[in-house]
Amino acid sequence: MSARPTSTAALEAHVAGRLTAIDAAKAKWWTAEMQNRAIDTCLQLHGGYGYMQEYEVARAWCDARVTTIWAGTNEIMKEVIGRDLGLGEPRP
């Protein structure tokens, strides 16, 4: 599944002033997840060269890793989404 519809919908909602924190968390988590799945596949395709900084794929892999951390880790995004779904109680 593509991350484009998710990010486009989030952008449109933000511009319209109706993007909720929950929807932002869903968009952030899903787009970061899809980016990392794609770059992991590319890294495997390039084999050992995928780990050498001289190659674009290695630099892209390093850049993609930060998306799971900035603006809240993906694990925190999952917590926010789970609470919205009524799964589990918030931690003290």
Side-chain angles (χ1 to χ4, degrees):
M1 181 172 179
S2 173
R4 186 171 300 229
T6 304
S7 58
T8 301
L11 177 62
E12 289 171 352
H14 176 70
V15 169
R18 53 184 171 75
L19 181 65
T20 66
I22 303 303
D23 290 337
K26 290 175 183 177
K28 189 268 183 199
W29 170 72
W30 187 249
T31 54
E33 182 71 20
M34 290 299 98
Q35 178 187 23
N36 279 281
R37 285 184 191 180
I39 196 65
D40 284 346
T41 301
C42 292
L43 191 74
Q44 291 297 317
L45 178 67
H46 285 82
Y49 292 114
Y51 294 99
M52 298 175 65
Q53 288 297 312
E54 293 82 12
Y55 291 88
E56 185 66 29
V57 68
R59 292 190 299 272
W61 184 82
C62 291
D63 292 343
R65 286 293 166 238
V66 76
T67 62
T68 61
I69 299 169
W70 67 25
T73 67
N74 276 3
E75 295 306 313
I76 297 299
M77 297 300 112
K78 290 177 189 177
E79 289 262 342
V80 169
I81 296 164
R83 286 183 197 153
D84 183 58
L85 296 172
L87 304 174
E89 293 296 317
R91 293 183 182 163

